[in-house]
Every structure is written in C-alpha cells, then in structure tokens.
Amino acid sequence: MKDMYKVIVVCDDPLKRPTFKVFIESLDNMQVVLSNLPEERTYNTLKTENVDLILIDIDEEKTSKYLNSISQLKKQAADTKVIMLTDNLSYFDYMTALGISGILPKKSTPDHIIRMIHTVQEGQTIIPISVLHRILFKNPDETLTDKEKNILSFVIKGYTNVKIAKEIFVSTRTVEKKLSVIYEKLGVHSRIEAVEKITREKMV
C-alpha cells in the first residue's frame, strides 16, 4: 500500500467540511489535500497532486451539474476513485457509467463512510440495500425526474434544443447537458433512439 492516501472533499456545507477532514485524517496514511466546492480548485489539485479519492457531499439540486463535472474529472484522472453521498438514486445508472466507486446515503455515519473508503481502497465497493433494490426492481420511468420528462415531451414533439431552451427558460447548453444525462439514464445514444424508446415504453 502506498505511503499516503490523498483525498479531496467536495462539500457545499462549510460546517461539514471540517468534520470530514478530521475523521478522514484520523485514519492511518490519510491526508485531505483539499476541502472545498469550486470545481476549478478541484481540477487544479488533480493536476498537482496524485489524488486517490474524491468524496462528494453536495445539495441534491446540484447533483446533475456536478455529475457532468465528474465526467471531466475522470477523464483527467481516470484512476481516482469517487464516493458520492446522495439520496437521489434517479442518477444511479449515470453514476455507475461514470465509474463512481461508491454511493452512500447522505445521512451515513463517519463509520459507514470510513468503511466505504477502506473498501474502495481495496478495489471493491459497497452497495446499500436500498440502492440494490432500486437496481433489481427499477422501472426506467421512475429514474426520470419530472423536469426530464418535461424535456422529453418537447423532444417527442420535434422541438429543437433552442426551442426547448426557450420553453423552459434555460440556455441551449443546459438543455444539451440535460439531454446527455437523459440519454445515459435511458441507455440510448441519440435523439432518435430516445424517442423510439420513450414512445415504445410509454414513458412520457
């Protein structure tokens, strides 16, 4: 095992960040090299440090945005493990596709998080029963949020990304990102495949 296991903590709660740092660094050979939220600092730290693990605990509403950031982070540091604390399982397929090593509920205790860190260190992972149940018995329709279903309804009508953006009052780039997440969830690779699947399975 290497001399020092380096960790980045990404957390938008300034009161929780010090807690994460304390209990992680209470473990042998563990060092928190960055504890912050801004993505730029995370990117820069990955460039200058040989980071082993990123622990993420952010507001549920920011999950979609940060998952896109993780995609970029993994391209930059493919061997870096990622553990995410979230109760939003609608993104589970996308998380696994990105190569996230572990998923835990947001109310996980330090003991649970430490156990997950040790397991990830060994190249394995732990899937909570609630997550496993969702994997085994999920309905594809249940993995889509109401906002995503709304976007799909416009896709079915043949709206362009520009027109969808105007309808839901966001930028075209935001629509593109949301569609990328939707495609991942549906297991498709194009607009045509998405329309065929949601029409066939009556998901919207």
Side-chain angles (χ1 to χ4, degrees), residues 2-187:
K2 60 186 294 184
D3 293 335
M4 189 61 68
Y5 197 80
K6 296 183 179 181
V7 181
I8 289 177
V9 174
V10 178
C11 178
D12 54 6
D13 186 339
L15 298 179
K16 292 176 70 175
R17 285 199 291 265
T19 302
F20 281 128
K21 180 176 174 65
V22 168
F23 78 71
I24 289 174
E25 293 193 337
S26 69
L27 305 174
D28 291 339
N29 302 320
M30 289 279 180
Q31 177 188 7
V32 176
V33 295
L34 177 66
S35 179
N36 215 317
L37 180 63
E39 297 163 24
E40 294 78 9
R41 292 192 62 188
T42 302
Y43 290 135
N44 292 336
T45 302
L46 283 172
K47 290 178 181 177
T48 58
E49 300 275 0
N50 185 19
V51 176
D52 299 282
L53 172 70
I54 302 175
L55 177 66
I56 301 173
D57 182 8
I58 57 176
D59 187 273
E60 296 295 308
E61 294 182 358
K62 300 175 184 175
T63 299
S64 177
K65 175 184 176 182
Y66 214 85
L67 284 176
N68 287 314
S69 297
I70 292 173
S71 176
Q72 298 303 313
L73 291 173
K74 292 293 286 183
K75 290 178 182 177
Q76 183 174 321
D79 293 334
T80 299
K81 308 297 184 183
V82 178
I83 294 175
M84 192 158 192
L85 274 64
T86 181
D87 295 320
N88 187 352
L89 299 182
S90 63
Y91 292 98
F92 181 81
D93 288 344
Y94 189 33
M95 291 177 189
T96 53
L98 289 176
I100 290 180
S101 305
I103 301 171
L104 286 172
K106 288 185 74 67
K107 292 185 178 180
S108 296
T109 65
D111 284 344
H112 288 145
I113 297 172
I114 289 171
R115 193 178 308 148
M116 175 66 88
I117 291 174
H118 285 320
T119 303
V120 167
Q121 276 185 290
E122 296 171 357
Q124 302 176 25
T125 191
I126 297 174
I127 300 178
I129 291 297
S130 59
V131 176
L132 180 60
H133 187 274
R134 183 64 175 269
I135 299 170
L136 295 176
F137 303 106
K138 71 177 181 180
N139 178 337
D141 182 38
E142 294 176 353
T143 69
L144 297 172
T145 65
D146 289 339
K147 290 182 179 179
E148 288 167 343
K149 291 178 183 178
N150 186 41
I151 290 174
L152 282 175
S153 70
F154 291 122
V155 170
I156 293 175
K157 294 175 183 177
Y159 282 32
T160 63
N161 289 353
V162 173
K163 193 170 182 179
I164 294 174
K166 290 180 180 179
E167 289 288 338
I168 62 177
F169 306 105
V170 298
S171 68
T172 304
R173 179 59 179 156
T174 296
V175 172
E176 292 172 354
K177 288 182 177 180
K178 289 183 179 296
L179 282 173
S180 178
V181 172
I182 291 171
Y183 294 164
E184 288 282 355
K185 288 185 178 184
L186 295 177

